[in-house]
Amino acid sequence: MANNLYITSMAPRSGKAVISLGIMEMLSRRIRKIGFFRPIIPEGGPDNNIQLIKKRYDLDLPYEAMYAYTHDQAQEMFTRGETDDLIKGIVAKYKALEQRCKFVLCEGTDYTGVSSAFEFDFNAAVANNIGAPILPVMNGRNKTMDDVQDMVRMAKEAFENQGCVILATIVNRYTGDNLPALIDRLQPATDRQAPVYVIPNEGILAKPTVGEIARALIGSCIQCEPDGMNREVQHVVVAAMQLRNFLDYIEEGSLIITPGDRADIILGTLATFFSETYPNVAGIVLTGGLAPEPPVQRLIDGLRSTRVSRLPTPVISVATDTYQTATNAHAVRSSLTPDNNRKIATALGLFETHVGVETLEARIAATHSARLTPIMFQYQLIERAKTARRRIVLPEGVESRILRAAEILSRRGVADLTLLGDAQKIEQKITNLGLQLKDVAIIDPLTSSWRDAYAAIYYDLRKHKGINEEMARDAMTDVSYFGTMMVHQGHADGMVSGSIHTTAHTIRPAFEFIRTKPDCSIVSSVFFMCLQDRVLVYGDCAINPNPTAEQLADIATSSAETAAKFGVEPRVAMLSYSTGVSGKGEDVEKVRTATQLARERRPDLKIEGPIQYDAAIDASVARTKMPDSEVAGKATVFIFPDLNTGNNTYKAVQRSARAIAVGPVLQGLKKPVNDLSRGCLVEDIVNTVAITAIQAQDM
């Protein structure tokens, strides 16, 4: 079952609060611990939708935990170009709430203050980054059938292009005729497609109450019975003429606006409540800060509790003049409030009548978003590493990038770190950089008490290869050999190096004495390619120049396991210059054989090959070349036939698509040792250390 859902509108005033209420009502019958979350809320006090859901469903959650940013805070970050930081902040706040709940219902932004295109992209990005299927809500008010059909089609295409998983679509507030005909036109072709529901417009939900207008006008109560304050305002009427003329303009649900010194209008309006020949007004607003004169006030007080009935008609006083008050009253928009049971009942009735609740429940149970975005990937790396801290050794202790990364890792509690190198030089470098690394250990291999023991172990392991005792002792002065031996002996759980050393220098010691797992014939590598909207896995792009079919199959299954371990659902594409049965030649046959071997070893995996890169990643190409494939167009793990192809491809994608390449991550070793690119950034080091720590958790 999905553990979240993201409700997003496509335009202002779509009525998504009604949909949130209906979904909460549906889920609360089956799930005890439900959370509610909004990434951005409006300014000006507590968010109404959060208050509504929190109070009605008695959510035991702090208000501050249920949103990430206010509109002004978000706008400031947009302006500074900090969109990624904004998304990261939202993800962090959401994940903290998720820890406390079995299901989190998320409600997107209100389409105010920024362009619709930007806000659409933002909501799609948030949904993808928290791994939530989406439920788009559209405003059907004053739309024709053709308009609605076009809106639904364009929304479907737009969200799918963003990689979103659509749970269902709801057209709300539809005002057109022939609702059954519209529903028939919108029904999906198959049961596998997301259903579309249409909810007709209900006037009561669109009309503000007297209480909402009073709060917006900052009015003070002269006569405010609770029932009266929940009355819907159907019309706003300014009373400026004589009473005898004004009475003809009173309609059912009118809000009468008049100066506070017009005793005739006040009393005449109140009298309509007792008359069977006049409609009931919603309330009276007195302008100019003028209160009724004492005799008039005494008369009102006497009407409040008569032998016949209580007077429910609200009377409110405001400071603004009549014109401004009328303008302000017309601008007030209705909302669902926790104390308005009538509107809540109406909203739930509409939802349950026009939405297939059982179908929606079943789709929630079966639907989840498998897409892993770069922000979510990086967040999960850090959080998973923190759950069971491991000891990671960093042999390149004098390198500035290593030290900066070490400070970040230490402050966030990702791992217990050991730096190798001359202690005095390292400490001086730390001081020069202005870093705080009090919790990080420093070991100098030249003076370490472990050096002699390590040399003896290395000699014993490698003497059959011609290594003598002096050579073994010299080897332990090398930071890569010393760090790897720390891992081998259990003094560290993993090692990360390569920012100033070659790949060969970094991993050679691991090949010599850590060696491969019993069930793995070859050490290989993958890169996690963090594109703008997804994370892909590329292998092998760093270790094996020209693997055999058997080795290629091993790389494929190992890469699939690595992908799954780090949250990427493995759909494996065995790449070649031809797709399916169209190509011939030795290189194609190698990939075809490797594909068959991989399927035999792991029949549970989704594996396709031989397949070209475009058919593996592009759904439109896949529909032409391999329409029935479970992998084509949806691949997440890409296995290259040789190192030349893989290395050049990952670098081309990295540069042209501005992707972050995390790796190479080694797979197949008994204990984790990972290599860095010599051009790596501090963020790359942080990610690689987190990956290494997670690998160590399973060993």
Side-chain angles (χ1 to χ4, degrees):
M1 176 177 176
N3 67 343
N4 57 7
L5 176 63
Y6 195 94
I7 299 173
T8 179
S9 57
M10 303 294 292
R13 295 185 289 279
S14 63
K16 65 181 183 300
V18 172
I19 312 306
S20 295
L21 189 70
I23 297 290
M24 283 295 297
E25 191 78 10
M26 177 184 77
L27 294 174
S28 62
R29 300 166 187 165
R30 298 180 180 270
I31 304 172
R32 290 190 63 183
K33 194 66 176 178
I34 304 178
F36 186 74
F37 181 76
R38 299 199 69 191
I40 297 174
I41 61 171
E43 300 294 328
D47 179 69
N48 184 79
N49 291 6
I50 292 179
Q51 295 284 73
L52 168 67
I53 299 297
K54 178 176 168 62
K55 184 174 180 180
R56 177 169 177 81
Y57 299 99
D58 194 26
L59 302 187
D60 185 22
L61 297 167
Y63 172 80
E64 292 73 19
M66 300 172 71
Y67 74 95
Y69 296 98
T70 65
H71 178 271
D72 285 357
Q73 290 171 332
Q75 189 66 53
E76 188 176 341
M77 296 181 75
F78 288 144
T79 304
R80 294 199 302 261
E82 298 172 353
T83 304
D84 280 355
D85 290 335
L86 176 68
I87 298 288
K88 289 178 181 177
I90 291 169
V91 169
K93 201 69 181 287
Y94 167 83
K95 295 299 282 187
L97 181 65
E98 186 184 58
Q99 295 293 320
R100 308 172 65 166
C101 306
K102 291 187 176 182
F103 191 99
V104 180
L105 180 64
C106 306
E107 186 182 294
T109 57
D110 297 319
Y111 279 74
T112 56
V114 296
S115 72
S116 294
F118 181 86
E119 199 148 355
F120 169 85
D121 290 340
F122 171 78
N123 282 297
V126 173
N128 281 333
N129 277 291
I130 64 174
I134 65 163
L135 194 157
V137 181
M138 300 172 198
N139 191 346
R141 185 174 175 81
N142 299 326
K143 301 290 194 304
T144 67
M145 286 192 188
D146 288 341
D147 292 338
V148 172
Q149 197 168 16
D150 288 342
M151 282 195 312
V152 171
R153 176 183 55 79
M154 287 189 291
K156 179 177 182 296
E157 292 175 357
F159 279 117
E160 287 180 346
N161 287 338
Q162 294 280 352
C164 298
V165 176
I166 302 175
L167 181 85
T169 300
I170 295 179
V171 180
N172 194 26
R173 305 184 68 197
Y174 180 64
T175 52
D177 298 326
N178 205 345
L179 185 62
L182 175 61
I183 293 171
D184 287 342
R185 287 175 65 173
L186 296 176
Q187 286 305 309
T190 69
D191 292 339
R192 304 173 97 183
Q193 294 177 296
V196 182
Y197 302 108
V198 183
I199 299 177
N201 188 60
E202 173 54 63
I204 185 178
L205 297 177
K207 302 294 184 181
T209 64
V210 176
E212 288 176 309
I213 292 178
R215 286 190 290 272
L217 301 183
I218 317 177
S220 57
C221 285
I222 295 174
Q223 151 65 30
C224 296
E225 293 286 342
D227 290 344
M229 298 299 283
N230 280 331
R231 288 184 174 185
E232 288 79 32
V233 175
Q234 305 292 330
H235 317 278
V236 175
V237 180
V238 175
M241 58 185 67
Q242 294 291 319
L243 177 65
R244 64 179 181 270
N245 297 316
F246 162 70
L247 289 173
D248 290 335
Y249 290 89
I250 293 179
E251 298 180 77
E252 186 73 27
S254 294
L255 180 69
I256 311 302
I257 297 178
T258 192
D261 59 357
R262 290 293 303 271
D264 58 333
I265 298 295
I266 298 170
L267 296 177
T269 302
L270 292 175
T272 62
F273 174 74
F274 300 97
S275 174
E276 295 182 355
T277 59
Y278 275 87
N280 291 320
V281 300
I284 305 172
V285 177
L286 307 180
T287 65
L290 301 172
E293 296 178 355
V296 178
Q297 185 63 58
R298 189 165 64 250
L299 184 57
I300 294 173
D301 293 340
L303 291 173
R304 287 181 181 176
S305 183
T306 67
R307 293 181 180 179
V308 192
S309 173
R310 292 186 307 147
L311 180 67
T313 307
V315 182
I316 300 153
S317 176
V318 299
T320 51
D321 61 40
T322 301
Y323 174 80
Q324 189 61 54
T325 301
T327 302
N328 294 344
H330 276 291
V332 177
R333 301 292 178 186
S334 176
S335 59
L336 287 171
T337 55
D339 58 343
N340 197 324
N341 292 324
R342 183 165 174 252
K343 279 193 176 184
I344 289 173
T346 301
L348 291 175
L350 280 170
F351 183 89
E352 291 165 355
T353 301
H354 297 282
V355 174
V357 173
E358 291 184 359
T359 301
L360 208 56
E361 279 189 291
R363 285 189 62 82
I364 289 174
T367 304
H368 72 283
S369 176
R371 171 163 292 207
L372 183 66
T373 65
I375 289 174
M376 180 57 76
F377 175 71
Q378 291 170 321
Y379 176 86
Q380 289 181 354
L381 286 183
I382 300 300
E383 293 304 308
R384 285 183 61 187
K386 289 163 63 176
T387 59
R389 287 174 60 158
R390 291 294 185 262
R391 301 162 300 169
I392 306 299
V393 58
L394 304 172
E396 300 161 326
V398 294
E399 164 61 30
S400 299
R401 291 167 294 168
I402 294 292
L403 293 173
R404 294 186 187 278
E407 183 184 51
I408 294 171
L409 291 160
S410 179
R411 287 182 179 274
R412 299 188 68 178
V414 175
D416 296 322
L417 303 175
T418 298
L419 300 171
L420 299 186
D422 186 302
Q424 187 174 352
K425 290 181 179 178
I426 293 173
E427 288 169 355
Q428 185 60 55
K429 196 69 169 286
I430 292 170
T431 301
N432 293 342
L433 294 171
L435 305 177
Q436 297 279 332
L437 289 173
K438 294 180 180 178
D439 297 329
V440 175
I442 300 174
I443 296 177
D444 187 348
L446 293 175
T447 60
S448 172
S449 59
W450 289 337
R451 180 184 172 189
D452 290 341
Y454 284 1
I457 295 167
Y458 182 62
Y459 167 70
D460 189 59
L461 290 171
R462 301 296 292 175
K463 60 186 179 183
H464 67 288
K465 292 290 187 179
I467 297 294
N468 59 40
E469 293 181 358
E470 188 61 31
M471 292 167 66
R473 184 171 170 79
D474 287 343
M476 290 304 122
T477 64
D478 185 295
V479 290
S480 294
Y481 274 86
F482 191 94
T484 307
M485 188 60 75
M486 286 182 66
V487 176
H488 179 66
Q489 289 301 105
H491 294 139
D493 300 307
M495 185 182 88
V496 175
S497 189
S499 66
I500 55 178
H501 292 96
T502 65
T503 294
H505 187 274
T506 298
I507 66 176
R508 185 183 298 114
F511 287 170
E512 290 183 5
F513 51 87
I514 288 182
R515 299 173 183 163
T516 60
K517 297 176 182 177
D519 60 344
C520 190
S521 65
I522 188 174
V523 175
S524 59
S525 71
V526 296
F527 280 92
F528 288 98
M529 301 299 295
C530 300
L531 305 179
Q532 185 177 5
D533 61 344
R534 72 190 79 179
V535 177
L536 304 176
V537 176
Y538 285 8
D540 179 356
C541 305
I543 305 296
N544 299 286
N546 191 24
T548 64
E550 290 76 13
Q551 291 172 331
L552 207 57
D554 202 342
I555 293 169
T557 56
S558 294
S559 299
E561 290 171 4
T562 300
K565 183 179 294 185
F566 291 96
V568 179
E569 183 180 346
R571 293 186 291 272
V572 184
M574 306 292 287
L575 297 174
S576 178
Y577 60 77
S578 89
T579 295
V581 297
S582 64
K584 304 292 183 184
E586 184 179 344
D587 292 337
V588 178
E589 291 304 319
K590 181 178 79 169
V591 174
R592 185 172 287 117
T593 302
T595 302
Q596 184 60 37
L597 289 170
R599 286 172 174 164
E600 291 172 359
R601 295 175 188 178
R602 290 289 306 276
D604 57 307
L605 286 178
K606 297 175 181 177
I607 303 176
E608 190 67 75
I611 186 171
Q612 292 162 290
Y613 191 96
D614 59 346
I617 200 166
D618 191 310
S620 61
V621 177
R623 283 193 290 270
T624 301
K625 293 188 175 183
M626 300 189 91
D628 299 324
S629 172
E630 291 185 295
V631 174
K634 298 174 287 189
T636 57
V637 180
F638 296 77
I639 305 302
F640 295 92
D642 54 62
L643 183 60
N644 182 49
T645 306
N647 192 270
N648 279 292
T649 301
Y650 107 77
K651 287 180 178 177
V653 172
Q654 182 185 29
R655 300 301 178 187
S656 59
R658 296 183 180 180
I660 297 171
V662 181
V665 177
L666 300 192
Q667 50 195 20
L669 290 170
K670 291 178 181 178
K671 294 185 178 182
V673 172
N674 283 311
D675 183 36
L676 297 166
S677 165
R678 277 171 284 176
C680 65
L681 304 175
V682 171
E683 186 179 27
D684 300 331
I685 300 169
V686 171
N687 290 335
T688 304
V689 170
I691 286 173
T692 307
I694 294 168
Q695 288 178 311
Q697 290 173 355
D698 298 331
M699 295 180 178

